[in-house]
Amino acid sequence: MDYPVDYLMDQAPGAPIRSGIPEHGRIPKYYAVKVQVASLLDELGEGGLLPPERDLAVRFEVSRETVRQALRDLLLEGRLRRLGRGTVVAGPKLEQPLSLASYTEGVRRQGRRPGRGLIGLERSPCSAALAAELGLEPGEPVWHMERVLLADDERVGLESTYVAVERVPHLDTDFEPDSSFYGYLRDRLGIRFGSADERLETVLATPREALLIGTPPALPMLLIHRMSRDTDGRPLERVRSLYRGDRFSFTARLEGSGQVEGWEQPEDEGGQEG
Amino acid sequence: MDYPVDYLMDQAPGAPIRSGIPEHGRIPKYYAVKVQVASLLDELGEGGLLPPERDLAVRFEVSRETVRQALRDLLLEGRLRRLGRGTVVAGPKLEQPLSLASYTEGVRRQGRRPGRGLIGLERSPCSAALAAELGLEPGEPVWHMERVLLADDERVGLESTYVAVERVPHLDTDFEPDSSFYGYLRDRLGIRFGSADERLETVLATPREALLIGTPPALPMLLIHRMSRDTDGRPLERVRSLYRGDRFSFTARLEGSGQVEGWEQPEDEGGQEG
């Protein structure tokens, strides 16, 4: 087969460099196939049906196992998705703004319909570690609410919220679990968010999470830890939000000259380093 | 073997829920081993040497292949790392603030020594797509500078910067490639960053990237696309930064009541939704 050669001129901004493989490096065969299939996906366009594995194997003169490995990568990266018994070209990832206005708002902005499905709502005594984060005493009752996140009825994430029972005493009877928790806090309890610390990382889905979200096991996920406070600076909720890595990206606009507004830069002396 | 049972009380905030596996779900054997090994890692502490695979197989009464699968996950997630011929407990992920003050500053704040190694610096005509982003005419000369990012001499990422030759005419002769590009822009050319749009996603390392960064192939990476502008609002650089997913997390402090300072919220009507 011909190995693809990419030049800077042809390349979409943000695409990985494929030329200039260091001399001791070789392009694995499956990766060369992946690059070819990726070009094919661009030609087919969103929703286009991928030819069967055996046809691709013939076309690229490689084994079906090599084709399978290439397709596995493209599935994990969200370039392809399974539809019924076929495999189709996936649409672009959802772009979720990293901001206090969270899931519902972000999904709506992209013309998708946000939704949530309740997995469980339980009340239990707070662990020492969680108590420290929420400003409670260990053993005080906390709610743990777990919901699957939906976009146009597709399961795209999983959200675990921990909040003191004292703050939202009637969460179990008063709150519609497929609605916005932030809307509930604001409209029913008059609680507004003042700030949040977030930490974002990539993790592998656990078997339980993969099952709940309906993803292949060990799919890379984006995990956001959020610790939020109300407008009085009082700790409010501790959230663990898991988003399908193949379906989501997160966006941010950073402002400021040497200093970013809205961001705490504890040891910043105003310098910019890159 | 005994399957681990976790309760909310025992759980560290932010850890995945392991209890309450839906009834049609089973815990795969490798995952049960992974959870046991993870507890062992907590006992051993950072830098602790993991017992050999065969000992773990005996201890947990599973095959070596099952142990290997569990260790593979823990390596991908950055809980373990290879050291010489052994495997040791890894330290926590580096926490990089998402802000205009970028790599150098972020790494320094954590008491690590930032560094960079030049992979290549080339001058070429700008593609149409890149020209649109950088506010240039297609074909105008641009620099492409590619550097490996280091923390205490460990390779942790890869950065591709595209910038118009017109803006930094002497980049090839005037700039020390293991120093801060942002420092160079500021101190030598008087250019300051005004704002940047960032998009963060998880991708798999390409074989070339894995080779350059020294990671296992197909390690989940965190990719940040940055499009920055100077204080006059003129496009400045287009950056593709790839960070090892097992070594990095990104943090943000979001401020504002219903509105996040420093963030553009184009269609926001001041509402908070969660």
Side-chain angles (χ1 to χ4, degrees):
Chain A
M1 66 174 292
D2 290 329
Y3 288 103
V5 180
D6 294 339
Y7 295 101
L8 185 53
M9 278 298 286
D10 297 327
Q11 199 162 300
I17 307 297
R18 295 205 189 93
S19 58
I21 299 280
E23 52 200 69
H24 55 299
R26 290 210 197 87
I27 304 184
K29 215 182 255 186
Y30 90 89
Y31 186 75
V33 172
K34 178 183 167 183
V35 171
Q36 306 268 44
V37 174
S39 305
L40 179 60
L41 302 186
D42 292 338
E43 287 167 33
L44 290 171
E46 182 176 343
L49 186 68
L50 193 74
E53 268 173 28
R54 61 173 177 283
D55 295 6
L56 294 172
V58 170
R59 177 167 179 170
F60 298 128
E61 298 172 37
V62 295
S63 71
R64 284 184 65 171
E65 182 48 39
T66 300
V67 170
R68 211 167 286 140
Q69 203 183 343
L71 299 188
R72 185 188 143 275
D73 260 29
L74 291 164
L75 277 163
L76 288 181
E77 292 184 331
R79 297 291 315 273
L80 284 173
R81 62 190 182 91
R82 303 273 185 219
L83 188 68
R85 298 188 53 157
T87 302
V88 299
V89 182
K93 290 182 181 180
L94 287 164
E95 290 190 6
Q96 186 80 351
L98 271 182
S99 77
L100 284 185
S102 192
Y103 182 72
T104 306
E105 190 63 20
V107 171
R108 274 200 197 127
R109 274 183 204 166
Q110 289 170 83
R112 308 279 302 262
R113 200 177 63 257
R116 291 172 207 76
L118 186 69
I119 302 296
L121 173 61
E122 56 188 46
R123 183 192 160 116
S124 45
C126 188
S127 71
L130 185 61
E133 293 199 339
L134 287 178
L136 303 174
E137 294 299 317
E140 278 192 65
V142 284
W143 294 115
H144 171 223
M145 177 166 64
E146 196 179 24
R147 300 188 292 177
V148 169
L149 302 174
L150 308 165
D152 290 348
D153 298 322
E154 182 194 4
R155 287 178 286 171
V156 291
L158 188 65
E159 188 181 78
S160 264
T161 301
Y162 298 90
V163 59
V165 171
E166 187 203 358
R167 300 297 296 267
V168 279
H170 308 297
L171 189 63
D172 53 343
T173 53
D174 204 26
F175 170 63
E176 199 55 63
D178 61 357
S179 70
S180 163
F181 179 54
Y182 289 15
Y184 170 76
L185 289 178
R186 183 187 57 211
D187 300 336
R188 300 294 292 273
L189 301 173
I191 299 175
R192 283 187 167 269
F193 284 82
S195 65
D197 283 312
E198 293 201 333
R199 187 162 56 83
L200 195 153
E201 58 180 329
T202 178
V203 296
L204 303 175
T206 67
R208 176 177 180 276
E209 291 165 346
L211 197 71
L212 288 172
I213 308 179
T215 62
L219 178 80
M221 309 292 276
L222 286 165
L223 171 61
I224 299 187
H225 300 274
R226 168 181 281 208
M227 186 60 235
S228 66
R229 288 165 296 276
D230 61 21
T231 42
D232 297 327
R234 240 180 111 192
L236 184 52
E237 46 148 29
R238 209 288 180 209
V239 187
R240 180 186 203 273
S241 305
L242 198 66
Y243 296 88
R244 291 183 64 141
D246 59 343
R247 302 293 296 119
F248 274 89
S249 64
F250 288 87
T251 59
R253 169 162 285 195
L254 312 173
E255 301 272 3
S257 164
Q259 174 113 7
V260 182
E261 293 159 37
W263 297 88
E264 182 161 277
Q265 298 195 8
E267 295 161 54
D268 193 24
E269 291 110 41
Q272 289 174 340
E273 305 280 339
Chain B
M1 64 175 291
D2 290 331
Y3 288 104
V5 181
D6 294 340
Y7 295 101
L8 186 51
M9 278 297 285
D10 298 327
Q11 199 162 302
I17 307 298
R18 294 204 188 96
S19 58
I21 301 279
E23 53 200 70
H24 55 300
R26 289 209 198 88
I27 304 185
K29 215 183 256 186
Y30 90 89
Y31 185 76
V33 172
K34 178 182 168 184
V35 172
Q36 306 269 44
V37 175
S39 304
L40 178 61
L41 302 186
D42 292 338
E43 288 167 33
L44 290 171
E46 183 175 344
L49 186 67
L50 194 73
E53 268 172 29
R54 61 175 176 282
D55 295 6
L56 293 172
V58 171
R59 177 166 178 170
F60 299 127
E61 297 173 38
V62 295
S63 71
R64 284 184 66 169
E65 182 48 40
T66 300
V67 170
R68 210 168 287 139
Q69 203 182 342
L71 300 188
R72 185 188 143 274
D73 260 30
L74 291 164
L75 277 162
L76 288 181
E77 292 184 330
R79 297 291 315 273
L80 284 173
R81 62 190 183 90
R82 303 274 185 217
L83 189 68
R85 298 188 53 156
T87 303
V88 298
V89 182
K93 290 182 181 180
L94 286 163
E95 290 190 6
Q96 187 80 351
L98 272 182
S99 77
L100 284 185
S102 193
Y103 181 72
T104 306
E105 190 62 20
V107 171
R108 274 201 196 125
R109 275 184 203 167
Q110 289 171 82
R112 308 279 302 262
R113 200 177 62 256
R116 292 172 206 74
L118 186 69
I119 303 296
L121 173 62
E122 56 187 47
R123 184 192 159 115
S124 46
C126 188
S127 71
L130 186 60
E133 293 198 339
L134 288 177
L136 303 174
E137 294 298 318
E140 277 191 66
V142 285
W143 294 116
H144 172 223
M145 177 166 64
E146 195 179 25
R147 300 188 291 176
V148 168
L149 302 174
L150 307 165
D152 290 347
D153 299 323
E154 182 194 5
R155 288 177 286 170
V156 291
L158 188 65
E159 188 182 79
S160 264
T161 301
Y162 299 89
V163 59
V165 170
E166 187 202 359
R167 300 297 296 267
V168 279
H170 308 297
L171 188 64
D172 53 343
T173 53
D174 204 24
F175 170 62
E176 199 55 62
D178 61 358
S179 69
S180 164
F181 178 55
Y182 288 16
Y184 170 77
L185 289 178
R186 183 188 57 212
D187 300 337
R188 301 293 293 270
L189 300 172
I191 299 175
R192 285 187 165 267
F193 284 81
S195 64
D197 283 312
E198 294 200 333
R199 186 161 56 83
L200 195 153
E201 59 180 328
T202 178
V203 296
L204 303 175
T206 68
R208 176 177 181 276
E209 291 165 346
L211 197 71
L212 288 172
I213 308 179
T215 62
L219 179 80
M221 309 292 276
L222 286 165
L223 171 61
I224 299 187
H225 301 275
R226 169 181 281 208
M227 186 60 235
S228 64
R229 288 166 296 276
D230 62 20
T231 42
D232 297 328
R234 237 178 113 193
L236 184 51
E237 45 147 30
R238 209 288 179 209
V239 188
R240 179 186 204 273
S241 305
L242 197 66
Y243 297 89
R244 290 183 64 141
D246 60 343
R247 301 294 296 119
F248 274 89
S249 63
F250 288 88
T251 59
R253 169 163 285 196
L254 312 174
E255 301 272 4
S257 162
Q259 175 112 7
V260 183
E261 291 159 38
W263 296 87
E264 182 160 275
Q265 300 196 6
E267 295 163 51
D268 192 24
E269 292 112 39
Q272 289 172 339
E273 305 279 340

